[in-house]
Amino acid sequence: MGFLTRLDQQRRRAELSSSAQLQDLDWVDSRFLGGGGYVTADLALTIPPFWKAIRILSENIASFQLSVYERMTRGNKKAQTHPHDYTIGRAANPDLTGFEFWETAVVHLTLRGRAFALKRYVPDFSLGRQVLQLWPLHPDRVTVTRRPNGVIDYRVATENGKPVSYGRHDILHFRGMSLDGLDGAADDV
């Protein structure tokens, strides 16, 4: 069973539950349920209005036409021949369209306060150059640290549990509101 299928089942269960359960929420601090349970981002997505709001926000932002622009002496000009223009606007990688990539990034940024993508350069022999691919990383699997010399490191937990280290040139990092300038602050809803 896929992740989205499980989320949809949880959302449907939440819709079927009585409205009294939602009234039991402690609205003084909405991060806690009336029974003392902690509301995580995944749990919040089971509440239909929250799910719909996140979907509307992420789909609307993802629908913007993104392009690479070149700075000119007077304004900017669309750089349609730039090698990264296709990746940013149309296809982040062979598995995701530009829309799907940006939708995922906005969901991660909204729910976790940060979003990450692994940058991969692969040869495109038809073009005779390296092509950028962007692969989304779940924010819960990424740890951001700063060494004493100021260099930023990204440790990504792989599916087998072993962490892999990357430098800042390997990771595209979107920060939400930050308390330290290093990482986004909103870990939970």
Side-chain angles (χ1 to χ4, degrees):
M1 179 181 320
F3 174 72
L4 291 177
T5 304
R6 286 194 310 267
L7 278 179
D8 191 49
Q9 287 176 346
Q10 289 175 344
R11 181 185 59 81
R12 287 182 186 172
R13 273 189 241 124
E15 287 176 345
L16 295 175
S17 66
S18 68
S19 61
Q21 285 180 315
L22 291 178
Q23 292 172 353
D24 289 339
L25 288 174
D26 179 5
W27 293 107
V28 174
D29 183 357
S30 62
R31 292 164 49 113
F32 292 92
L33 291 174
Y38 195 64
V39 178
T40 64
D42 293 333
L43 181 59
L45 284 173
T46 66
I47 301 170
F50 187 83
W51 170 276
K52 289 176 184 174
I54 294 295
R55 193 187 85 227
I56 289 168
L57 176 69
S58 63
E59 287 178 355
N60 277 300
I61 292 175
S63 69
F64 296 161
Q65 291 295 319
L66 299 176
S67 295
V68 175
Y69 287 84
E70 180 182 354
R71 285 193 182 131
M72 309 299 282
T73 52
R74 292 185 181 196
N76 299 323
K77 175 182 135 187
K78 216 178 211 185
Q80 294 175 335
T81 59
H82 190 280
H84 301 332
D85 188 63
Y86 186 80
T87 301
I88 289 171
R90 298 195 185 270
N93 61 56
D95 296 340
L96 292 175
T97 65
F99 179 91
E100 293 166 328
F101 172 80
W102 291 110
E103 180 182 38
T104 302
V106 170
V107 168
H108 287 167
L109 191 57
T110 305
L111 296 178
R112 300 296 200 277
R114 58 203 199 135
F116 301 94
L118 180 62
K119 295 189 267 185
R120 287 281 183 225
Y121 290 91
V122 296
D124 186 329
F125 299 108
S126 66
L127 297 174
R129 66 175 188 244
Q130 298 279 325
V131 176
L132 172 67
Q133 293 181 350
L134 298 173
W135 295 90
L137 299 169
H138 195 287
D140 292 349
R141 294 175 48 195
V142 181
T143 304
V144 185
T145 57
R146 186 186 311 269
R147 293 189 218 158
N149 64 1
V151 174
I152 296 174
D153 285 323
Y154 296 90
R155 292 183 58 83
V156 179
T158 60
E159 292 181 14
N160 64 9
K162 294 185 180 183
V164 177
S165 292
Y166 295 99
R168 65 167 229 213
H169 297 292
D170 300 316
I171 300 289
L172 181 60
H173 182 180
F174 299 100
R175 294 169 187 86
M177 184 183 80
S178 179
L179 301 176
D180 61 4
L182 181 65
D183 203 3
D187 287 337
D188 293 300
V189 176

